[in-house]
Amino acid sequence: MVGRRDALQALDRALEATAAGSFRFVALIGEPGAGKTRLLGELLNAAADRKLSAVAGRAAEFEQDMPFGVIIDALDDHLEEHRPDLSPAATRLLSGVFPALAAGGEIPADDAEDPADLTGLARYRLYRTMRRMLEELAGPAGLVLVLDDVHWADAASIELLEHLVRHPPRARVMVAVAYRPAQTPPRLATLVDAAGGHGLRVPVEPLTRSEVAEFLGPQVPAPQREALYAASGGNPFYLEALVRMGVTDTPGRLDEEGHVVGADELPPAVEAALRAELSGLPDPALLVARAAAVAADEFEPALAAAAAEVPESTALKALDELTARDVVRPAPGGRFRFRHPLVRHATYGSAAAGWRVGVHARVADHLARLGMPATARARHVERSGRFGDAEAIDTLVEAARTVAAHAPQTAARWLKAALKLMPDADERRLPLLAELARMQAVSGQLTEGRKTAREVLRLLPPDAHALRARAARFCAMMERLLGNPQEARGLLLAELRRMPDPRSASAVTLRLRLVAESLMRVDFRAAQAVLDLVPDTAEDWDHGLTVAVAALRPMPAYAGGRVEEALRHCINVDGLVAASSDEQLSEWLDAITWSCWTELFLGRYDVAAGRLERVLSVARATGQSYIVPTALAGLANAHAMLGRLDEAATAAEEAEALARMLVSDQLLVFALIQRCLVASWLGEDEHALAYGREAVEAAGGTGEWWGRQAAYALAVATVHAGDAEAGAAMLREVHAASDSAAALDPSTLRACEILARLAAAAGDAAEAGRWADRAADTAHPVLPADRALADLARAHALRPTDPAAAAQRARRAAATLEEAGHRLDAGRARLDAGSAAAEAGDRGLARSELRIAAQIFEEIGARPLHARTRREQRRVGVRVPARGGGSGGGPGALSPRELEVARLVAEGCTNQQIAERLYVSIRTVETHLSHIFAKLGVSSRVAVVTALGRLIESGPDDRP
């Protein structure tokens, strides 16, 4: 290939890395006609030479609204012959995307995801399952997935690519994409950089003068070569088009360097050449070509015939003519494609606009006669539907609701199209606008969702107070997620002033949202002042409003230091929530989530976890995506403190994924805080620091409490990563900034405990004592966990001068924490007790305490703490064998829990069955499996069974 040696060499190196076991994301970037498709073809050939499986697909200019269009184009045919070894649940989930898997017969339901989940979690889990599918398809040889023209890819496909970059497949997989820079969405353009060391950018530049001369050959005279270079700007496709039509003297618009200006448009000379090529076609062939260009990127003769309104025999003769002239080319399955997207573009543009509308209508009718689903017809109905056409409206709404769970952006587009066809007087219009606002919010189009929600508010009658209050709450939440708290507050106050009765249920609805806004601003006095004016219930309230008022009372009480009152409120909330149906709770999940966070701050992690699971269940069923990241972040916190680090990691990862989908900095900060803390406890220091830094940056110096939490998380990760001095400085800053925010979260107490430990480790007993005093002042005596952390801080302060007393104080803290179920902190206290006892010369007590600590840390997966405990055990004479596989004690360095899961897989259990046997969630089972795959170096359940059998046969691991 002329002028492409560097690009080919770069692709070859990427293939070598993939064959060696590394994931690669390769982006070929160049203007239309630069030769990206040809290079991808060479990549496919090179992959075949290396015995790598390879599949290819192409996005289409006029089908950009089809969910996963380019992914389906690449993989669906391959899946017909290579069905992946996945669980029934995974297969069921994928069958909603890939027709080849849906055609495989009835799939048992077992642990399939809820298809009604509209929160974004369904999308995240679908992407995770697609990643597992790619790992399975790669097998031992590897897989190359080639995606061309992805600047036209739908939002779901781009979101999947983003997921693969952030969570690379653990297999020999290469994803190679090609796109035009001027037409590329920002999310796609940043993927190469986001891929880091896995990413490779391959620019496909115009040919130079000398390369054009080589391309044309010596038979073309020098003056003609120069004219062709000037007309084409060195673009290979343009060169071919000009040569094909004999055009050599009509230059396009060039810049100072001789490149074509307006790279996303055809240069005049090339456009003229393509139009001349089309005008030379016989009328029947031109008619079919234009109809096919409107109908589909890849089309069957029958579809082209229906679109052109000609008999199929006429269409076949026309296709013979078009094939002979290389306008279209045969494709698999008896279908056809234009030789290049630019040829289709020119053909489409040559048809009259009104005539194209008729083609879309005929194609929609043809697909309906074939019994094709609404999703296949929606694109054509969108372009041909008539105002007031009830059938067209129904088709678009049905299509939108079908794809809502995994392609909400496409769903929003089709809902907007339906609304354009719907008369203002149609009674469905307001509910459909509200549905559109939710779809826009779910898909991360928060600005558009806010605009639509405000339109709903504008259209509602002034006296529809209940409906207006609900709409105003939704608008305020959109403003909050967009980082506009003042606008949210102003909107709520303006609507509240419209209410004739300030004590009505509608007015209370708005006041409760104002309470939440005040809590976010750490203005808990304002929140309490509003709540003081609100009764516990009233005759005209529904049960959900009563629950909401109760759910918001604990946090201001806790923040105001009235902990006993907060506990009483929490107990009241427990009873109300337990007695409520999901429908009664559904409208007030934001308020209930605040009660869950209060439970976390009070150290009632098990209660918080149970209630958050309920919140998430209702949120998934009702599509309230904006609730889910905060709830998942709280659940991650609860799981971590209860010693369920794997479940905490899963919840935090899902929170981050959904927050990114929603494009909300506030939600992302909540998620990243937990990702940082959990990764730090798991020993993933590099990741923890990256999450913490991003959280602090996204918080942007906000005075709200979650910004301070981000700084605390980064400080903890810095300490755990080994930079005690920098981490301590950060923690002191967190403590210094805690005047008002300290009362709203327990990180101040935790910061004091850590700073006491660091000062004691540095030999500064006086400084450690001062931080222990501050911990004692901060801890509330009613809360067992607070008392225990204050005891632990005092143990740190005592250790330099009286290690025996330090050991006893740490043991007291451990006992309190164990009784509360706080396994992570209890393990830390046991470790400190054992270390202090060793320094006091009590080796028996030291060994006993360290044994308990080691058992806790091994069971919960806290690898750094487990390693530190083993070092302490060696110091007191305990023989602890060194193993390179981390803290796992089973075959292949699997932890005891991972070994249990692996053995159940070997028994043929599904994820649902494993979850039921072990009393854990399906998400936790999936997390354990991902760790098992990584440790055993496999990518399928079958391979787990084989690897486990080999390891067991080789003999048991030496355990202490």
Side-chain angles (χ1 to χ4, degrees):
M1 293 179 67
V2 175
R4 299 294 181 243
R5 183 180 62 184
D6 290 348
L8 289 170
Q9 289 177 346
L11 293 177
D12 198 58
R13 289 192 297 270
L15 272 177
E16 288 180 2
T18 301
S22 297
F23 169 73
R24 284 293 181 269
F25 181 82
V26 180
L28 279 71
I29 306 168
E31 308 304 345
K36 303 183 295 298
T37 301
R38 176 71 187 280
L39 282 168
L40 290 177
E42 294 297 319
L43 175 63
L44 290 169
N45 293 335
D49 291 341
R50 286 179 166 79
K51 308 302 182 185
L52 294 168
S53 296
V55 291
R58 187 175 86 184
E61 180 178 7
F62 303 113
E63 287 84 30
Q64 298 179 45
D65 49 2
M66 293 304 297
F68 300 109
V70 66
I71 307 298
I72 295 170
D73 189 45
L75 288 169
D76 201 54
D77 289 344
H78 186 75
L79 290 171
E80 286 185 355
E81 299 181 4
H82 304 84
R83 199 174 182 88
D85 178 23
L86 297 171
S87 69
T91 303
R92 175 176 290 276
L93 193 58
L94 294 171
S95 68
V97 175
F98 298 102
L101 296 179
E106 184 65 25
I107 303 168
D110 84 346
D111 55 344
E113 297 291 347
D114 180 3
D117 185 346
L118 303 180
T119 62
L121 279 178
R123 284 145 62 202
Y124 167 72
R125 291 168 184 169
L126 174 61
Y127 301 155
R128 190 171 59 189
T129 305
M130 285 185 169
R131 184 188 69 184
R132 291 207 304 269
M133 178 188 71
L134 292 178
E135 292 168 349
E136 181 66 24
L137 291 175
L143 175 71
V144 176
L145 174 62
V146 168
L147 306 173
D148 200 1
D149 290 331
V150 291
H151 50 275
W152 288 325
D154 61 282
S157 295
I158 294 175
E159 208 166 61
L160 170 63
L161 292 176
E162 186 175 32
H163 178 86
L164 293 175
V165 162
R166 292 189 179 278
H167 309 277
R170 295 180 292 268
R172 295 178 172 88
V173 174
M174 173 193 285
V175 177
V177 302
Y179 56 79
R180 305 173 185 176
Q183 297 172 253
T184 299
R187 289 181 76 175
L188 176 59
T190 60
L191 287 186
V192 179
D193 294 330
H198 299 296
L200 173 65
R201 180 181 281 104
V202 181
V204 186
E205 303 287 355
L207 302 178
T208 63
R209 275 186 171 82
S210 60
E211 289 166 347
V212 167
E214 182 182 354
F215 181 88
L216 295 172
Q219 69 276 14
V220 179
Q224 189 176 354
R225 288 200 303 268
E226 185 62 27
L228 286 167
Y229 173 74
S232 67
N235 184 292
F237 177 83
Y238 297 169
L239 273 172
E240 287 184 338
L242 294 170
V243 171
R244 182 188 294 266
M245 300 310 299
V247 179
T248 60
D249 57 354
T250 312
R253 294 174 290 125
L254 307 178
D255 60 19
E256 294 179 356
E257 298 180 359
H259 296 159
V260 178
V261 174
D264 56 344
E265 303 173 359
L266 286 174
V270 178
E271 187 172 4
L274 290 175
R275 287 188 179 276
E277 181 180 2
L278 294 172
S279 65
L281 294 171
D283 288 344
L286 180 59
L287 174 66
V288 170
R290 285 172 170 166
V294 174
D297 183 58
E298 191 170 288
F299 56 91
E300 298 174 348
L303 181 62
E309 284 188 299
V310 299
E312 190 169 347
S313 58
T314 302
L316 287 169
K317 290 179 182 178
L319 288 170
D320 287 341
E321 181 72 26
L322 294 170
T323 304
R325 295 180 181 238
D326 199 27
V327 175
V328 302
R329 293 173 179 174
R335 292 167 291 186
F336 293 85
R337 249 182 171 162
F338 286 86
R339 78 168 183 268
H340 193 281
L342 290 174
V343 177
R344 185 189 179 195
H345 178 88
T347 307
Y348 185 95
S350 72
W355 183 82
R356 292 200 297 259
V357 172
V359 173
H360 282 297
R362 291 192 290 273
V363 171
D365 289 343
H366 174 75
L367 295 174
R369 287 194 298 272
L370 294 176
M372 299 298 288
T375 51
R377 294 177 276 129
R379 181 178 74 87
H380 300 287
V381 172
E382 178 186 358
R383 291 163 175 81
S384 62
R386 297 178 181 180
F387 183 75
D389 184 343
E391 185 177 348
I393 293 169
D394 290 344
T395 297
L396 290 165
V397 172
E398 180 186 348
R401 290 171 178 168
T402 299
V403 304
H406 60 261
Q409 192 164 325
T410 297
R413 172 174 172 161
W414 285 339
L415 288 175
K416 287 178 69 175
L419 285 162
K420 288 180 181 178
L421 302 180
M422 187 176 288
D424 290 345
D426 194 314
E427 63 182 12
R428 297 177 296 172
R429 186 169 186 82
L430 265 177
L432 206 61
L433 272 171
E435 187 175 348
L436 171 61
R438 288 196 300 272
M439 275 305 109
Q440 289 168 327
V442 168
S443 62
Q445 303 174 82
L446 294 177
T447 301
E448 293 84 350
R450 173 187 60 184
K451 181 179 178 181
T452 305
R454 283 184 176 268
E455 176 68 5
V456 172
L457 193 59
R458 186 186 69 80
L459 292 174
L460 282 169
D463 59 350
H465 301 304
L467 293 175
R468 292 188 65 86
R470 292 178 65 183
R473 279 185 68 236
F474 184 82
C475 289
M477 280 191 275
M478 293 301 99
E479 294 288 4
R480 157 60 63 180
L481 295 177
L482 284 165
N484 304 322
Q486 295 304 321
E487 286 81 350
R489 182 175 173 79
L491 186 150
L492 292 166
L493 290 172
E495 195 61 33
L496 193 57
R497 284 192 288 269
R498 293 173 177 264
M499 298 288 172
D501 181 1
R503 297 184 179 181
S504 66
S506 300
V508 171
T509 294
L510 297 172
R511 292 185 189 279
L512 293 187
R513 186 63 215 170
L514 284 169
V515 170
E517 288 296 324
S518 297
L519 291 176
M520 293 298 291
R521 299 197 317 273
V522 202
D523 190 355
F524 52 87
R525 291 184 181 86
Q528 188 64 61
V530 175
L531 284 170
D532 287 343
L533 300 174
V534 177
D536 289 337
T537 190
E539 290 184 2
D540 64 333
W541 292 10
D542 61 32
H543 180 71
L545 185 56
T546 300
V547 175
V549 171
L552 283 173
R553 291 198 188 280
M555 184 63 84
Y558 170 80
R562 304 186 309 278
V563 174
E564 295 95 335
E565 180 185 334
L567 286 167
R568 287 196 301 271
H569 286 315
C570 283
I571 293 169
N572 183 42
V573 175
D574 282 343
L576 286 170
V577 171
S580 303
S581 67
D582 287 355
E583 184 179 0
Q584 290 170 326
L585 300 181
S586 62
E587 191 178 343
W588 297 104
L589 296 182
D590 56 327
I592 297 168
T593 302
W594 272 108
S595 76
C596 298
W597 278 93
T598 311
E599 300 281 15
L600 293 172
F601 294 168
L602 291 168
R604 288 163 41 107
Y605 298 118
D606 52 347
V607 176
R611 196 178 303 155
L612 285 166
E613 290 283 11
R614 179 88 184 273
V615 167
L616 288 166
S617 174
V618 178
R620 283 194 288 267
T622 54
Q624 297 182 64
S625 57
Y626 37 87
I627 299 293
V628 174
T630 310
L632 280 171
L635 188 60
N637 180 262
H639 282 324
M641 293 297 100
L642 292 169
R644 308 166 188 160
L645 287 179
D646 282 340
E647 292 188 57
T650 300
E653 182 181 326
E654 290 184 347
E656 181 204 359
L658 186 50
R660 292 190 188 280
M661 291 177 187
L662 291 170
V663 198
S664 168
D665 283 345
Q666 175 187 309
L667 297 180
L668 183 61
V669 172
F670 271 98
L672 290 173
I673 288 168
Q674 300 306 320
R675 291 223 73 180
C676 173
L677 292 170
V678 174
S680 187
W681 291 120
L682 288 170
E684 300 167 359
D685 292 333
E686 186 176 342
H687 289 149
L689 291 170
Y691 295 138
R693 292 180 187 123
E694 187 179 0
V696 169
E697 182 179 354
T702 178
E704 298 185 342
W705 69 274
W706 42 280
R708 183 173 167 277
Q709 276 281 297
Y712 166 77
L714 178 58
V716 171
T718 302
V719 170
H720 288 178
D723 193 344
E725 184 177 351
M730 293 179 190
L731 285 170
R732 285 192 290 270
E733 288 182 18
V734 169
H735 188 272
S738 66
D739 292 342
S740 60
L744 197 58
D745 70 74
S747 60
T748 299
L749 175 57
R750 290 185 171 277
C752 291
E753 184 260 316
I754 297 170
L755 285 166
R757 174 167 61 83
L758 295 175
D764 192 338
E767 179 72 1
R770 283 191 288 272
W771 285 113
D773 291 341
R774 291 172 186 171
D777 292 340
T778 303
H780 198 285
V782 173
L783 300 178
D786 275 26
R787 296 198 309 270
L789 288 174
D791 275 341
L792 194 54
R794 184 62 61 191
H796 299 321
L798 289 169
R799 187 166 166 182
T801 56
D802 190 349
Q808 293 305 317
R809 187 63 72 98
R811 291 184 72 204
R812 186 170 81 176
T816 303
L817 292 164
E818 285 168 352
E819 185 177 356
H822 301 185
R823 299 195 73 204
L824 180 59
D825 284 339
R828 292 197 305 117
R830 292 292 180 190
L831 170 58
D832 287 333
S835 300
E839 290 180 11
D842 190 340
R843 292 167 69 88
L845 178 61
R847 289 180 177 184
S848 174
E849 295 296 313
L850 292 172
R851 178 182 56 78
I852 297 171
Q855 182 178 354
I856 291 174
F857 295 142
E858 182 172 19
E859 289 175 355
I860 71 176
R863 291 184 285 273
L865 289 170
H866 186 263
R868 181 177 151 203
T869 305
R870 284 193 160 187
R871 289 195 297 271
E872 293 294 319
Q873 285 180 302
R874 292 189 187 101
R875 287 180 56 200
V876 294
V878 176
R879 295 186 60 187
V880 180
R883 289 192 296 271
S887 62
L894 299 181
S895 71
R897 179 64 93 182
E898 289 164 355
L899 185 57
E900 273 188 287
V901 172
R903 284 173 170 157
L904 289 172
V905 168
E907 292 176 17
C909 293
T910 66
N911 287 3
Q912 178 68 46
Q913 292 165 337
I914 295 172
E916 291 172 355
R917 294 268 288 272
L918 300 181
Y919 301 100
V920 298
S921 71
I922 295 172
R923 291 198 303 271
T924 300
V925 174
E926 292 173 342
T927 300
H928 284 312
L929 280 173
S930 70
H931 294 164
I932 292 166
F933 284 4
K935 290 181 179 181
L936 298 184
V938 300
S939 60
S940 73
R941 299 167 82 92
V942 172
V944 167
V945 177
T946 304
L948 186 63
R950 285 199 304 266
L951 288 166
I952 292 175
E953 288 174 6
S954 68
D957 200 6
D958 56 339
R959 292 182 61 81

